[in-house]
Amino acid sequence: MHSIYNYTLEELKEQLKPSFRAKQIYNWLYKKYVTQFDDMKNLPNDLKNHLKENFKASTLKILKKETSKDGSIKYLFQLEDGHTIETVLLLMKKKKTNEEGVVEKSEKYTVCISTQVGCKVGCSFCLTAKGGFIRNLTVGEIIEQIVQLKKDNEIAENKALNIVYMGMGEPLDNYDNLIKAIKIFSELDGLAIAPRRQTISTSGISTKIEKLGAEDLGIQLAISLHAVDDGLRSELIPMNKAYNISSIIEAVKNFPIDARKKVMFEYLVIKDKNDDTDSAAKLIKLLNGINAKVNLIYFNPYPGTSYQRPTRENMINFQEYLLSKGLICTIRESKGLDISAACGQLKEKDANGIA
Ligand code: SAH
Ligand code: SF4
């Protein structure tokens, strides 16, 4: 049986006649988060039976849920074949003052989703890489992560939500499913998450960045750069030998980005490896001519790694150097550090039975 989340609205329309039924089903699935076909009240019984016999609307099981002090919630999902993936709901609380001068709290949601079980890229600092590559997620498994989080947290259908493809796996290595998922997410009769609210984070498969750019979807791009010279980058991301820094920069320059937006460069800061201002100076040169912003990430240590977390002082110095040269640079708050934030870490805890 197939997951109903695998299908675009057009595909459902082709399969189910009359075609307005597809819209109704989309409404139940993506605006009301209904997972039992029997509960889709405006559908005729024969259609409900057809759906029950041919499709599933619930394939991910919540195995574990951890809430961090800052309100972020990390989910460990079990897939139908028993493998597990992680999804994180990040809450950004903002205070704003309304016209009467009253302080109002507003919440912004961002969901970090996985695209693969494991990862082929094998970065030396990444816990997800340690278990090797198991398989690509299906389109339905990518989509259902968002549906389940919205349902579990009772997030209203019309509440703005951003997606970052920064969980487990390399999104561009699951290219076709990724493209289809972006389209299903943005369907107006469904979740209606526009491509400009979706950010793909990639370790830098240049050829796929070019291909993605050519599709001109209006998606946001984040590049996991992490190093300014090929020697260190190849140590951190072995794939850099095939797709080196200059090939990535070239691909980014060709990528269509909305004039008001910037390409994000993620820079994982590791103590005594890449945390010096010399590296910051090289980074300025490298990003010259690109409408870029930099996001510095503290390396998050785990048992068995030889890399270390940088000092706060080095982090601030690095940031200030970039800012002084006019490059926008933020430090990623370690959202949910107390719940082992970096990707792969919740899963690992589970496997070791530490948690
Ligand atoms: N494969 C894609 C997206 C998933 S990884 C990519 O590499 O971009 C998402 C982010 O988690 C990457 O920027 C990666 O550098 C970061 N990450 C992985 N291991 C980490 C760790 N131990 N500490 C902090 N960030 C880590
Ligand atoms: Fe894969 Fe990204 Fe982890 Fe590298 S950092 S191994 S690309 S998930």
Side-chain angles (χ1 to χ4, degrees), residues 286-305:
L286 206 58
L287 301 185
N288 186 25
I290 297 177
N291 200 2
K293 60 181 174 189
V294 172
N295 193 218
L296 301 177
I297 310 168
Y298 281 96
F299 171 67
N300 199 15
Y302 48 87
T305 180

Side-chain angles (χ1 to χ4, degrees), residues 121 170-174 202-211 223 233 239 243 247-248 251:
V121 181
E170 167 52 50
L172 296 186
D173 194 32
N174 187 7
T202 175
S203 53
I205 310 175
S206 325
T207 47
K208 298 273 179 69
I209 296 172
E210 300 268 5
K211 193 171 167 194
I223 303 287
R233 196 166 190 278
M239 193 183 67
Y243 305 105
S247 76
I248 296 170

Side-chain angles (χ1 to χ4, degrees), residues 112-113 115-116 119 121 123 125-128 165-171 200-204 222-226 237 266-268 297-302 332 341-343 345:
C112 174
I113 62 175
T115 52
Q116 298 182 313
C119 185
V121 181
C123 300
F125 54 82
C126 175
L127 208 49
T128 298
Y165 296 84
M166 285 185 194
M168 301 167 68
E170 167 52 50
I200 294 175
S201 174
T202 175
S203 53
I223 303 287
S224 289
L225 192 66
H226 308 335
I237 309 174
E266 297 165 275
Y267 190 90
L268 180 75
I297 310 168
Y298 281 96
F299 171 67
N300 199 15
Y302 48 87
R332 185 177 295 170
C343 68
Q345 299 199 350

Side-chain angles (χ1 to χ4, degrees), residues 190-351:
L191 291 161
I193 305 166
R196 70 185 157 80
R197 294 192 166 277
Q198 303 183 43
T199 304
I200 294 175
S201 174
T202 175
S203 53
I205 310 175
S206 325
T207 47
K208 298 273 179 69
I209 296 172
E210 300 268 5
K211 193 171 167 194
L212 182 68
E215 314 233 13
D216 206 5
L217 299 169
I219 198 102
Q220 310 293 325
L221 188 64
I223 303 287
S224 289
L225 192 66
H226 308 335
V228 288
D229 59 79
D230 282 316
L232 177 62
R233 196 166 190 278
S234 300
E235 177 195 320
L236 300 176
I237 309 174
M239 193 183 67
N240 188 71
K241 294 187 189 92
Y243 305 105
N244 66 13
I245 295 177
S246 63
S247 76
I248 296 170
I249 296 293
E250 195 54 36
V252 170
K253 284 185 174 161
N254 293 332
F255 197 88
I257 284 282
D258 185 320
R260 289 160 300 171
K261 303 278 183 185
K262 294 177 184 302
V263 176
M264 190 206 277
F265 285 84
E266 297 165 275
Y267 190 90
L268 180 75
V269 188
I270 305 174
K271 190 176 181 223
D272 298 334
K273 283 275 178 192
N274 61 359
D275 60 347
D276 53 307
T277 37
D278 257 9
S279 300
K282 283 189 191 157
L283 187 56
I284 295 280
K285 274 201 189 131
L286 206 58
L287 301 185
N288 186 25
I290 297 177
N291 200 2
K293 60 181 174 189
V294 172
N295 193 218
L296 301 177
I297 310 168
Y298 281 96
F299 171 67
N300 199 15
Y302 48 87
T305 180
S306 58
Y307 298 130
Q308 290 175 307
R309 189 181 160 91
T311 62
R312 191 176 145 75
E313 193 192 354
N314 279 2
M315 212 57 175
I316 304 269
N317 285 343
F318 200 104
Q319 181 191 30
E320 284 186 346
Y321 185 90
L322 298 187
L323 290 174
S324 74
K325 303 288 177 193
L327 188 59
I328 293 180
C329 173
T330 49
I331 296 177
R332 185 177 295 170
E333 287 172 61
S334 290
K335 281 258 164 212
L337 193 64
D338 54 315
I339 53 164
S340 42
C343 68
Q345 299 199 350
L346 184 69
K347 182 181 159 121
E348 195 67 11
K349 264 193 359 186
D350 195 55

Side-chain angles (χ1 to χ4, degrees), residues 56 59-61 77-85 117 134-138 141 347:
K56 277 191 172 177
T59 70
L60 305 185
K61 200 171 112 198
F77 283 116
Q78 185 169 46
L79 309 173
E80 284 194 310
D81 62 5
H83 290 300
T84 54
I85 53 159
V117 184
I134 312 272
R135 69 169 173 87
N136 281 329
L137 293 191
T138 61
E141 287 165 339
K347 182 181 159 121

Side-chain angles (χ1 to χ4, degrees), residues 137-152:
L137 293 191
T138 61
V139 175
E141 287 165 339
I142 297 174
I143 302 290
E144 203 185 325
Q145 294 173 62
I146 298 284
V147 177
Q148 288 236 9
L149 260 67
K150 288 193 85 171
K151 184 182 169 104
D152 197 45

